[in-house]
Amino acid sequence: MERTLAIIKPDAVERRLAGKILQRIEDAGFQIRAMRRVHLSRKDAEGFYAVHRERPFFASLTTFMSSGPAVVLVLEAPDAIKKWRTLMGATDPAKADAGTLRKEFAQSIERNATHGSDAPETAAFEIGYFFAGIELM
Ligand code: CMP
C-alpha cells in the first residue's frame, strides 16, 4: 500500500466540483485516509510549493492557491502516487488524456483542478505539511 497527498484546488472547489472529484477518487478504488478543507495563506502556499520558488509562475501559483478554500486528502492504494497522477492527467489540460480529471475539470495549466505528489519523498513531505501522524492511524 502507498499513500499520496491530493488537493482539490480552489478553482474546483469554487466551481462546486469537489463532490464529483471525490466520487471519481472513490470509484477508482482509493481509500480516503484523511481529508480537510483548508484556506491556505500566501505563506502556507509558498511553503507547500517551495520546490517551485525559482519558477516564473511561482507568484501567480501561490496567489491562486491562497485565493479560496481547497480540499486536501491523503489517498491510499497500491501504487497510489502513480495511480492518482494517471487519474488527474497531464498538468496542462490541453495535453491531458480523455477521461482524466484535468481534461474534464481544469481551466488552464495553473487552474488545473487537482494536485498530486510526484514521488515517495514528496508525498512524505506533502502529507506531513497538512496532517499529523495521529490523523492517519
Ligand atoms: P501542480 O501539479 O500542483 O504543481 C505545480 C503547479 O504549478 C501546477 O500543478 C500548476 O497549477 C502550476 N503551474 C502554473 N504554470 C505552470 C507551468 N508552466 N508548468 C507547470 N506548472 C505550472
Side-chain angles (χ1 to χ4, degrees):
M1 277 295 173
E2 187 175 65
R3 290 175 181 177
T4 190
L5 191 278
I7 304 180
I8 303 175
K9 293 188 179 185
D11 59 312
V13 173
E14 185 186 1
R15 292 161 64 221
R16 299 176 185 268
L17 296 168
K20 282 199 176 82
I21 293 172
L22 288 169
Q23 187 68 60
R24 295 279 291 270
I25 287 169
E26 293 199 315
D27 289 348
F30 290 100
Q31 292 286 343
I32 297 172
R33 294 301 304 251
M35 176 162 71
R36 184 186 303 130
R37 177 186 184 275
V38 292
H39 189 152
L40 299 180
S41 68
R42 181 74 183 265
K43 279 217 152 18
D44 294 332
E46 287 173 356
F48 181 76
Y49 280 117
V51 290
H52 294 308
R53 66 185 166 274
E54 305 302 334
R55 303 283 198 99
F57 56 80
F58 184 68
S60 176
L61 171 63
T62 53
T63 299
F64 159 59
M65 288 299 291
S66 56
S67 67
V71 177
V72 292
L73 308 113
V74 177
L75 305 182
E76 187 175 85
D79 210 11
I81 294 171
K82 190 163 158 227
K83 185 177 161 81
W84 173 233
R85 291 178 73 79
T86 301
L87 180 59
M88 287 193 297
T91 305
D92 181 352
K95 296 179 184 154
D97 290 337
T100 62
L101 296 173
R102 283 166 169 165
K103 184 70 177 182
E104 216 166 308
F105 300 127
Q107 296 173 300
S108 68
I109 194 167
E110 179 171 275
R111 297 173 68 85
N112 63 354
T114 55
H115 166 83
S117 313
D118 63 4
E121 310 73 52
T122 331
F125 166 77
E126 293 184 348
I127 290 170
Y129 201 81
F130 291 110
F131 297 100
I134 190 87
E135 296 170 275
L136 294 163
M137 288 167 75

